[in-house]
Amino acid sequence: MDNLSDTLKKLKITAVDRTEDSLEGCLDCLLQALAQNNMETSEKIQASGILQLFASLLTPQSSFKAKVANIIAEVAKNEFMRIPCVDAGLISPLVQLLNSKDQEVLLQTGRALGNICYDSHEGRSAVDQAGGAQIVIDHLRSLCSITDPANEKLLTVFCGMLMNYSNENGKQN
């Protein structure tokens, strides 16, 4: 995990400099660390203050938006990371990515928003204020009219995102 600390430091620098190769390497390293130990890696990401940088990497022009959305989806699997994702200002840029035509961007963005909404009143509220649910509903309408097996995973993710968005579970965080 020392390598992870180095990666987080390097990511802070490369995110500002926009060094493409270094940035992609750092993002790949984070995804690998999340796959090995999601909770511990998420804690380190939160402690490093790196979440705020992710918002700047979620722009439509960014070539890393799908990877960054994937990282956010992975960290938001942990309940303790959902409010920090909202506080880091990630909801609005994620919702903007729902306007993408790139299937992988849509898939990872749907996962990220769905995980942030899961058992999180703050997450659901932020997605609601950003208009995310309506965009997903519009996507579902168009996806349902096209019977393409390639759309099945996206349909599943968007339905799951809306389920997490609409499910209060009777508790307010």
Side-chain angles (χ1 to χ4, degrees):
M1 281 291 173
D2 287 338
N3 192 20
L4 177 60
S5 298
D6 293 341
T7 296
L8 291 169
K9 288 176 192 166
K10 187 175 178 184
L11 185 57
K12 284 183 181 182
I13 296 165
T14 57
V16 174
D17 294 347
R18 300 285 180 157
T19 315
E20 299 263 326
D21 292 342
S22 297
L23 192 52
E24 186 164 22
C26 289
L27 296 173
D28 288 339
C29 186
L30 278 183
L31 283 168
Q32 194 171 24
L34 284 162
Q36 290 173 1
N37 190 333
N38 190 301
M39 187 174 289
E40 187 177 337
T41 301
S42 294
E43 287 169 350
K44 288 193 176 217
I45 288 171
Q46 183 182 19
S48 74
I50 209 95
L51 277 177
Q52 289 78 6
L53 286 177
F54 287 155
S56 69
L57 298 173
L58 288 170
T59 63
Q61 313 81 273
S62 169
S63 48
F64 307 110
K65 53 192 173 278
K67 277 189 186 180
V68 174
N70 188 1
I71 291 168
I72 295 166
E74 290 300 317
V75 301
K77 286 179 177 179
N78 298 292
E79 186 174 2
F80 68 90
M81 290 298 292
R82 295 178 190 138
I83 292 173
C85 285
V86 173
D87 292 344
L90 299 176
I91 303 303
S92 184
L94 283 167
V95 168
Q96 292 305 310
L97 289 180
L98 290 172
N99 295 308
S100 174
K101 301 289 183 223
D102 182 316
Q103 187 124 2
E104 185 64 17
V105 170
L106 291 171
L107 188 72
Q108 297 306 332
T109 301
R111 288 184 61 238
L113 290 169
N115 289 349
I116 291 169
C117 287
Y118 185 77
D119 275 351
S120 172
H121 175 72
E122 291 81 0
R124 287 188 292 273
S125 179
V127 169
D128 184 47
Q129 289 173 2
Q134 188 58 53
I135 296 170
V136 169
I137 290 168
D138 293 342
H139 273 300
L140 284 172
R141 282 189 182 119
S142 66
L143 287 169
C144 286
S145 66
I146 306 164
T147 52
D148 181 355
N151 292 334
E152 288 178 19
K153 192 166 186 175
L154 193 54
L155 275 168
T156 302
V157 167
F158 279 166
C159 287
M161 181 261 167
L162 286 177
M163 184 180 73
N164 289 348
Y165 166 79
S166 63
N167 189 5
E168 282 286 332
N169 279 342
K171 73 182 206 185
Q172 298 278 321
N173 292 343

